[in-house]
Amino acid sequence: MTQEELFKKLIAHSKEYGYIFLSSEIYDGLGAVYDYGQYGVELKNNIKRYWWDSMVKLHENIVGIDSAIFMHPRIWEASGHVGAFNDPLIDNKDSKKRYRADVLVEDHIAKIEEKIEKEVAKGRKKFGDAFDEAQFRATNPNVLCQVEKAETIRKHLAETLTDNNLDGLKQLILDCEIVCPISGTRNWTDVRQFNLMFSTQMGSVSTDASQIYLRPETAQGIFVNFLNVQKTGRMKVPFGITQIGKAFRNEIVARQFIFRMREFEQMEMQFFVRPGEEMKWYEYWKDARMRWHKSLGLGDDKYRFRNHDKLAHYANAAADIEFNFPFGFKEVEGIHSRTDFDLSNHQKFSGKRLQYFDPETSESYVPYVVETSIGVDRMVLLILSAAYAEEKVQKEGEGERVVLRIPSILAPVKLAVLPLVKKDGLPEKAHIIMNNLKFDFNCQYDEKDSIGKRYRRQDAIGTPFCITIDHQTLHDDMVTIRYRDNMRQERVAISSLPEIINEKVSMRSWLQQLGN
Ligand code: ATP
């Protein structure tokens, strides 16, 4: 199965099994807006809980807030979003399709990188066990030529974006001979800037109403509450404030399912530090966040760091954590050293002092900030794409199964309780078991269809444990527990179930391995 096919199947599966629906579907949907179904919301909540606890519970000096989506419009002037939160857009005159100019170039670079990987794969096949990949990459003329090409284009792209050189960006698209994927032509318009913020009116009388924005990031709600939290929480630098909440961006091109949405959710943490110490903390958070990702056990080689070629207006260092999605390595989280840009500007625009008195140095200063910012929806997509598998089944009768190997801590349903038949007191016994377990774990009861079919249904939604109650259970209080990943079955005492399940799904053991 190609990665493209896998992605299509994943989208269909997400809908069929109640994870993700197109918003307003009966009205043919709304561009790049999605709703989460009964399992999607559980997965999302579990991701949020794992992130929140890893920040707030594991760090004495990190606390959370929940600020409003509507904020004073001057905030977005101070943050630079009114002036600079733009993406460069370009239209193809023949297909009338609109693209993000920088993304067109990035996709072009990705194609060159694909060629490099193909060349390496050819070498591996040719030389077999004797293949020295590092040497091949360093010496093969075709590889070297493509690497240089990709680097030159990437450098030009970074320069044009940094200089806001829109003509230069168009020229780069022409020089790379990039064609519109729909029309196949190079008939491009000029590149224009487009502000990504949604705006609306606040106030009942239109003449008095003021223009406000839907927040494009949750971070500003943290900055403007910096002193409130610091004072009321008696926080000492270094300390962090987190928040999880909705953000809105009028993305030019909505693509790749929930990867790029117009309404999405972020989990952000702003860490306030002494000026001059930001690089130490930047490295600390890069490492801590990568450990969090890898703790989910989806494969360490699926992640990489990517340093930003073009720094945002507020940053002095920035890196993305990228994940190997079915459409290639793409950003899931950003770690940014934001300097004192935000707090200093809010100080200027609001006229209020936003300084911290450091009792250790007896100095007042505007703290520097290191931010970690991750999209909840991208995490959902990451988990689903890593978890989805189609397999031939040898046990439990011949056939195939689709299984979601979601890390058990994040699985929407932790266990299914299945009476073997719908009679002879088995459903009653199953309910007794479930009524005990449901206080600790999200359980599902199912008595319809054969046991094999029920296992398949649980595999498809990613339930790590199935508990089967049979006639023998009524005599010995033992049940069959069946494990999702290897389909192994064993007979265990009902009284041991909480311990067996807890070992795999307790937040405590997952958080402990983070080792903060
Ligand atoms: P991109 O380069 O993909 O547009 P970005 O660099 O603008 O992303 P940030 O502003 O750093 O993203 O936002 C932090 C995180 O929020 C991202 O890493 C991503 O996980 C998430 N995010 C940003 N934009 C979107 C979106 N349109 N849909 C879903 N998640 C998003």
Side-chain angles (χ1 to χ4, degrees):
M1 184 167 39
T2 65
Q3 291 296 298
E4 211 171 301
E5 284 163 356
L6 166 80
F7 193 41
K8 279 198 188 132
K9 286 191 171 179
L10 186 66
I11 296 171
H13 188 87
S14 304
K15 181 180 170 202
E16 192 183 341
Y17 285 91
Y19 271 89
I20 301 161
F21 308 124
L22 192 58
S23 157
S24 324
E25 192 186 321
I26 57 170
Y27 291 91
D28 296 332
L30 186 65
V33 186
Y34 291 88
D35 296 337
Y36 286 86
Q38 63 277 25
Y39 300 121
V41 67
E42 297 287 349
L43 173 57
K44 229 174 143 190
N45 285 343
N46 293 341
I47 291 171
K48 289 193 265 186
R49 168 60 52 205
Y50 187 45
W51 180 87
W52 185 271
D53 285 358
S54 76
M55 288 289 180
V56 176
K57 272 195 184 161
L58 295 193
H59 296 90
E60 280 169 44
N61 58 350
I62 297 183
V63 291
I65 62 163
D66 182 17
S67 71
I69 288 172
F70 291 148
M71 297 170 82
H72 196 287
R74 292 269 286 162
I75 285 174
W76 304 110
E77 289 173 37
S79 69
H81 283 82
V82 171
F85 194 53
N86 302 318
D87 273 345
L89 69 85
I90 191 166
D91 296 288
N92 182 271
K93 290 185 200 162
D94 298 319
S95 66
K96 310 270 183 279
K97 285 281 170 201
R98 179 158 288 176
Y99 299 92
R100 241 174 85 175
D102 55 332
V103 172
L104 276 181
V105 180
E106 273 168 14
D107 287 350
H108 181 71
I109 296 172
K111 281 197 191 124
I112 298 175
E113 284 172 345
E114 259 171 48
K115 279 191 196 154
I116 297 171
E117 293 315 310
K118 274 197 187 136
E119 200 67 48
V120 173
K122 257 185 1 200
R124 192 175 296 120
K125 205 167 162 198
K126 189 169 158 196
F127 296 109
D129 287 347
F131 184 59
D132 180 342
E133 185 173 328
Q135 198 198 355
F136 187 83
R137 284 182 189 272
T139 53
N140 180 280
N142 290 344
V143 170
L144 290 176
C145 171
Q146 298 291 354
V147 167
E148 194 191 331
K149 203 165 152 190
E151 271 171 14
T152 311
I153 299 171
R154 190 173 282 126
K155 193 165 146 255
H156 277 158
L157 177 64
E159 278 165 11
T160 55
L161 292 176
T162 308
D163 302 344
N164 213 355
N165 176 0
L166 300 185
D167 291 340
L169 189 49
K170 178 172 179 185
Q171 195 54 49
L172 184 59
I173 289 173
L174 295 177
D175 291 347
C176 292
E177 302 186 345
I178 295 174
V179 296
C180 164
I182 308 290
S183 67
T185 72
R186 289 181 225 151
N187 195 5
W188 297 109
T189 61
D190 286 340
V191 178
R192 283 164 294 151
Q193 288 289 22
F194 175 77
N195 192 289
L196 299 181
M197 280 198 296
F198 284 98
S199 67
T200 186
Q201 304 289 316
M202 191 165 191
S204 49
V205 186
S206 62
T207 44
D208 294 344
S210 59
Q211 188 183 34
I212 57 164
Y213 300 97
L214 296 186
R215 67 182 179 198
E217 62 176 25
T218 63
Q220 297 304 323
I222 295 180
F223 292 127
V224 297
N225 279 300
F226 153 72
L227 268 193
N228 283 340
V229 175
Q230 189 272 319
K231 290 203 166 126
T232 57
R234 294 179 299 123
M235 310 299 290
K236 286 202 174 63
V237 164
F239 73 92
I241 306 178
T242 69
Q243 122 154 290
I244 298 178
K246 288 271 177 149
F248 305 83
R249 295 183 188 179
N250 199 0
E251 298 282 359
I252 296 167
V253 203
R255 283 190 314 176
Q256 289 150 337
F257 194 33
I258 56 169
F259 183 82
R260 193 172 297 288
M261 302 159 90
R262 296 202 165 100
E263 173 180 340
F264 59 101
E265 213 167 351
Q266 288 185 314
M267 307 190 279
E268 297 200 295
M269 195 273 304
Q270 310 297 325
F271 200 69
F272 300 91
V273 305
R274 275 192 194 142
E277 292 190 356
E278 70 274 15
M279 279 308 151
K280 179 180 91 183
W281 288 109
Y282 172 67
E283 293 303 331
Y284 170 89
W285 281 109
K286 268 176 71 178
D287 176 59
R289 293 304 306 145
M290 189 57 111
R291 272 192 288 118
W292 183 87
H293 282 282
K294 291 185 175 172
S295 73
L296 291 169
L298 302 171
D300 289 4
D301 58 335
K302 293 209 171 86
Y303 301 88
R304 72 179 186 196
F305 280 116
R306 165 106 177 233
N307 291 326
H308 283 205
D309 296 321
K310 180 207 169 196
L311 289 175
H313 56 275
Y314 50 76
N316 67 357
D320 294 336
I321 294 178
E322 293 189 335
F323 181 79
N324 197 359
F325 286 96
F327 37 87
F329 273 97
K330 294 277 178 204
E331 168 179 350
V332 60
E333 170 157 9
I335 294 118
H336 311 123
S337 171
R338 291 182 80 128
T339 68
D340 61 351
F341 175 87
D342 302 87
L343 289 180
S344 294
N345 264 14
H346 286 310
Q347 197 167 247
K348 218 183 300 162
F349 277 68
S350 68
K352 305 278 178 344
R353 218 172 119 87
L354 291 180
Q355 302 221 343
Y356 169 77
F357 177 75
D358 194 326
E360 279 179 32
T361 60
S362 299
E363 273 176 325
S364 286
Y365 53 78
V366 176
Y368 271 46
V369 173
V370 175
E371 160 185 86
T372 70
S373 175
I374 170 171
V376 182
D377 312 272
R378 281 195 194 172
M379 263 314 283
V380 171
L381 185 57
L382 181 159
I383 297 293
L384 290 178
S385 45
Y388 183 94
E390 291 175 8
E391 294 175 347
K392 288 236 171 322
V393 177
Q394 310 295 345
K395 303 176 189 171
E396 299 170 6
E398 293 295 298
E400 290 197 345
R401 69 167 184 166
V402 173
V403 55
L404 292 183
R405 286 205 174 84
I406 299 175
S408 48
I409 187 76
L410 303 181
V413 179
K414 302 298 189 220
L415 68 130
V417 181
L418 316 170
L420 193 60
V421 289
K422 283 196 258 192
K423 54 183 186 183
D424 305 337
L426 298 191
E428 289 76 9
K429 183 75 179 170
H431 274 115
I432 292 171
I433 295 173
M434 173 145 160
N435 285 340
N436 180 36
L437 293 173
K438 73 181 179 190
F439 294 101
D440 294 316
F441 313 109
N442 194 344
C443 307
Q444 192 171 85
Y445 176 82
D446 190 2
E447 59 176 24
K448 196 169 174 293
D449 297 323
S450 71
I451 196 76
K453 270 197 187 152
R454 281 181 270 169
Y455 284 158
R456 290 295 95 80
R457 271 203 294 271
Q458 295 302 328
D459 287 342
I461 61 172
T463 307
F465 305 101
C466 287
I467 311 295
T468 305
I469 289 92
D470 55 26
H471 292 92
Q472 189 61 26
T473 308
L474 302 179
H475 303 293
D476 62 6
D477 269 339
M478 306 272 281
V479 290
T480 303
I481 183 164
R482 180 242 189 212
Y483 301 94
R484 173 196 69 195
D485 293 347
N486 53 14
M487 296 187 285
R488 193 165 65 82
Q489 300 188 5
E490 64 184 326
R491 196 112 184 122
V492 298
I494 292 172
S495 57
S496 67
L497 286 174
E499 200 187 324
I500 295 174
I501 297 163
N502 212 30
E503 195 201 316
K504 290 279 187 300
V505 306
S506 93
M507 189 61 85
R508 183 189 175 87
S509 52
W510 284 76
L511 288 173
Q512 264 173 344
Q513 48 146 359
L514 287 174
N516 283 316

